[in-house]
Amino acid sequence: MVAAALLIAMPMAIAQNALAPAKIPNLPALGDTERQDLSPISERKIGEEIMRDIRRDRDFLDDGPILEYLNNFGNALVAARPGARGEANYDYYFFAVRDPQLNAFALPGGFIAVHSGLLLAAQSESELASVLGHEIGHVAQRHIARSIGQQKQDALIPLAAMILAALASRAGGDAAIGVFMGGQGLAIQRQLNFGREAEREADRIGFQIMGEAGYDTTGMVAFFQRMQSATRNYSDLVPAYLQTHPLTTERIADIQARIRDQPYKQRADSLDFYLVRSRARVLQAQGSQAMAEAKQFFEEQMKQENRLQLTAGQYGMAFWSLKNGDPANAQVWLDKARGTFNKAPPPGTFSAAPKPASDAIFVTTSIEIKLGKSDDHDSIAKGLEEAKAAQQKFPLSRTVSHLYAEAMIAAGKYDDAAAYLRDQALLYREEPEVFDYLAQVYSKQGKIALQHIALAESYMLQGGTLSALEQLGYARKASDASFYDQALIDARERDWQARQREAMGDKAKKDLALQPAFKAELRSGNNSSVNGGANSTGGLGNSADREWTDPSGRLRQSTDPFERLRQKSDATPESWAR
């Protein structure tokens, strides 16, 4: 689709992160030509559409601590240079995907991805900052709009071949080259020529962001050399005119020239950087062989005398054990990791390792471990106690908030969970997770109408309009649906139908009217789906209940066809607080 093809405007080749001089005039905002081709609002909508597909992919790392770290880290970079939000004032969202390739890319509208392979390859937070700063530069300069300014949308369609090439590269260089050649032509060559100019602009902004955020730029040469060595087949086999970036060797030389006169700046890495990389290593591993290799890595890491490396290795063993269904051993390793990091250095020893700003990752992992013992009531009770304390200590942490909800549900505190989640729904209306939890609580309470309304809100936030309307149909026929519920269902149905018609365009309105979810018969529904209550289509009585009552299931990728798409919603969950 065109939206997928637009992704190429954020070039996806490997070497993306060259630096430029620190003192550079601010780059100007783009002109009206780009705005006419693709407005900031359209950019955001396209980004959300692509994110919907990415979230449904099994390789999207839906891991709370990793997402929270990347977003805190990335938005701190943006805050160091407020102008990076651009004239559209984008809200940036950073995420990770499971892929061993050393790569990162930006989507339209402020969505930035980091491959797990790159996260593991980065040896310092300064190196990671160089990657994210570069991608922020792409978004800030609106390179998508500028690329469309050079060619119309129908010329962008062949560029989807390059997106496929990036995905095919997982299978080896030959497969990638084959897909590359399938998309050759004048349109691609013009796009790539423009991409080189976009890279230079992103380099300059990324370098400025790094400097203003206080990160060291000197490690980039070594990082680029590792990238070059790891991806030599990608760079050497693709013809020069199809390179979306200058050759890696050229960019390394450019970095060396540009940072030669820069003062050396050392910045100690945070504990969270090491812990997040340990989680990513486990989550990237697929299959028994890969998991065995991850365990071996942690065992070797624990042999190092560096305190942070030892802590990361022990934490990695804790998370590895949890993933392998051994929460008892996971707790042992977690206690060791905490003890190692909190241990005072020997007298007379200088330690530059900073204390963490918080121990949120240790805390959340401890809660995950206790909730993972689903048949141990004492462990669940301790997990709930820890989650409640953590929620008070880290009130803005979405990971902690979700774990607190899980703990209350696991402990059977349904009334408390419902009250808490209704408040959360008022504060975080764009989080489908909140509505998923609400749906499960209502299912446990036997409130079938509210269960399906909550599911409808969740599906709508994830872009599943027809599934959302289907859930409204189930809610309408539920035996416990009150007059107030019916009024709410009517309002939601009219609003969502109008949105779907608008999204599909005037040409599709006739076809849309034929969709079952839009027919009047929807109101008559299927009685069996209501009588089945939580067991109805899309309900939470079977697999969903089992997944959410087993908190360790959060460590596995969800099979729900609608993953977490955060987009604007006019939902008014206040109406549920009855």
Side-chain angles (χ1 to χ4, degrees):
M1 63 174 61
V2 173
L6 287 173
L7 204 162
I8 196 59
M10 302 296 96
M12 296 181 64
I14 304 303
Q16 289 192 335
N17 310 298
L19 305 180
K23 302 301 182 181
I24 299 175
N26 290 338
L27 297 175
L30 301 178
D32 291 338
T33 300
E34 291 78 13
R35 188 178 295 110
Q36 290 173 1
D37 280 290
L38 190 63
S39 69
I41 294 177
S42 297
E43 274 194 82
R44 185 71 181 187
K45 288 183 177 179
I46 291 172
E48 289 172 347
E49 180 181 350
I50 299 173
M51 277 302 301
R52 178 175 60 197
D53 293 334
I54 290 176
R55 291 178 184 281
R56 291 163 63 182
D57 193 293
R58 63 189 298 272
D59 289 328
F60 172 72
L61 290 184
D62 190 11
D63 180 74
I66 292 179
L67 289 173
E68 201 156 291
Y69 171 80
L70 288 176
N71 279 280
N72 290 338
F73 185 85
N75 280 293
L77 293 174
V78 175
R81 185 181 177 85
R85 296 193 182 277
E87 59 180 305
N89 195 31
Y90 288 126
D91 289 328
Y92 283 80
Y93 179 72
F94 300 84
F95 63 99
V97 294
R98 182 188 294 106
D99 194 318
Q101 294 284 348
L102 276 65
N103 198 9
F105 58 89
L107 300 176
F111 301 95
I112 294 177
V114 176
H115 285 198
S116 57
L118 188 143
L119 185 60
L120 296 178
Q123 298 300 305
S124 69
E125 287 187 306
S126 292
E127 294 186 5
L128 180 60
S130 73
V131 176
L132 297 185
H134 179 93
E135 300 304 333
I136 291 170
H138 278 307
V139 177
Q141 286 302 106
R142 302 192 62 228
H143 287 150
I144 291 267
R146 295 174 67 184
S147 75
I148 295 181
Q150 292 209 346
Q151 54 188 28
K152 299 300 181 182
Q153 291 197 24
D154 57 356
L156 285 175
I157 295 177
L159 296 178
M162 300 199 65
I163 305 302
L164 297 177
L167 299 176
S169 65
R170 301 179 185 179
D174 292 341
I177 296 306
V179 182
F180 262 120
M181 292 308 174
Q184 60 185 317
L186 178 61
I188 291 181
Q189 186 172 356
R190 290 180 58 192
Q191 174 68 16
L192 298 180
N193 289 337
F194 179 80
R196 294 187 182 99
E197 296 300 322
E199 288 304 306
R200 295 186 183 98
E201 289 184 347
D203 288 344
R204 291 194 288 269
I205 292 182
F207 183 77
Q208 291 173 342
I209 289 174
M210 284 191 68
E212 292 171 12
Y215 288 95
D216 174 26
T217 61
T218 60
M220 288 300 93
V221 172
F223 187 48
F224 266 65
Q225 288 172 341
R226 288 198 304 275
M227 295 173 71
Q228 184 184 41
S229 175
T231 59
R232 187 171 300 279
N233 69 311
Y234 201 103
S235 297
D236 291 347
L237 298 179
V238 180
Y241 76 93
L242 283 181
Q243 295 279 356
T244 58
H245 299 268
L247 293 176
T248 305
T249 52
E250 297 177 6
R251 299 186 70 138
I252 291 176
D254 185 59
I255 294 171
Q256 292 172 325
R258 293 177 185 275
I259 68 175
R260 187 173 295 121
D261 298 328
Q262 298 298 317
Y264 176 71
K265 182 184 297 182
Q266 186 177 22
R267 179 176 178 130
D269 297 322
S270 69
L271 172 65
D272 285 354
F273 173 69
Y274 288 87
L275 301 185
V276 160
R277 292 168 74 240
S278 293
R279 290 183 75 98
R281 189 173 299 279
V282 174
L283 293 174
Q284 179 176 278
Q286 293 182 292
S288 58
Q289 180 62 31
M291 289 296 287
E293 292 173 356
K295 181 181 180 181
Q296 183 179 7
F297 177 89
F298 295 135
E299 291 172 345
E300 293 297 321
Q301 190 177 26
M302 287 188 292
K303 295 178 182 179
Q304 301 185 36
E305 296 182 359
N306 182 285
R307 182 162 60 101
L308 285 174
Q309 294 287 357
L310 177 56
T311 301
Q314 292 170 335
Y315 177 81
M317 286 300 301
F319 191 61
W320 186 93
S321 299
L322 183 60
K323 277 284 289 181
N324 279 274
D326 188 358
N329 198 39
Q331 186 66 59
V332 172
W333 281 111
L334 181 64
D335 292 340
K336 288 183 179 181
R338 278 178 150 170
T340 297
F341 188 78
N342 292 324
K343 183 179 179 180
T349 301
F350 173 76
S351 176
K355 286 292 183 180
S358 72
D359 58 347
I361 295 182
F362 280 149
V363 170
T364 56
T365 306
S366 178
I367 298 170
E368 288 177 321
I369 291 172
K370 290 177 174 60
L371 297 185
K373 303 175 183 179
S374 56
D375 56 347
D376 187 337
H377 297 295
D378 291 338
S379 179
I380 295 296
K382 291 179 181 178
L384 175 58
E385 183 180 351
E386 287 188 17
K388 183 176 182 179
Q391 197 277 331
Q392 295 173 350
K393 185 176 181 180
F394 309 110
L396 298 181
S397 171
R398 303 312 302 144
T399 302
V400 170
S401 174
H402 297 163
L403 284 173
Y404 183 38
E406 286 187 19
M408 285 188 285
I409 295 172
K413 306 290 185 180
Y414 303 132
D415 292 341
D416 293 341
Y420 174 74
L421 289 167
R422 282 194 292 264
D423 289 340
Q424 289 290 298
L426 297 177
L427 296 172
Y428 301 96
R429 298 184 181 182
E430 299 173 15
E431 279 194 12
E433 294 93 337
V434 174
F435 297 101
D436 288 340
Y437 286 122
L438 263 175
Q440 187 188 355
V441 171
Y442 288 142
S443 174
K444 297 290 188 180
Q445 294 177 322
K447 298 179 179 179
I448 306 304
L450 292 180
Q451 172 199 350
H452 288 295
I453 291 175
L455 275 176
E457 297 284 359
S458 174
Y459 287 159
M460 190 63 189
L461 285 172
Q462 298 168 53
T465 306
L466 294 181
S467 294
L469 289 167
E470 185 178 33
Q471 290 297 321
L472 290 183
Y474 297 143
R476 188 188 303 279
K477 291 299 296 178
S479 59
D480 61 343
S482 66
F483 175 81
Y484 187 82
D485 293 333
Q486 298 286 0
L488 176 63
I489 293 168
D490 288 339
R492 289 290 191 274
E493 189 175 66
R494 288 192 299 269
D495 180 29
W496 295 349
Q497 286 178 357
R499 291 191 198 183
Q500 183 72 350
R501 292 189 182 98
E502 181 181 359
M504 296 184 67
D506 294 336
K507 183 179 179 180
K509 285 184 179 179
K510 284 188 177 180
D511 294 336
L512 183 64
L514 299 177
Q515 292 288 344
F518 283 90
K519 291 182 177 180
E521 286 82 351
L522 178 65
R523 302 190 176 187
S524 63
N526 185 335
N527 289 333
S528 62
S529 67
V530 176
N531 295 334
N535 294 323
S536 60
T537 303
L540 293 175
N542 289 326
S543 61
D545 265 349
R546 288 195 297 271
E547 178 181 354
W548 286 104
T549 54
D550 176 13
S552 63
R554 288 183 59 81
L555 304 176
R556 300 186 294 270
Q557 197 67 23
S558 173
T559 56
D560 186 7
F562 299 99
E563 294 297 344
R564 310 293 192 245
L565 173 65
R566 293 172 175 81
Q567 60 186 26
K568 298 295 181 182
S569 171
D570 295 328
T572 55
E574 300 96 323
S575 58
W576 303 351
R578 300 195 305 230

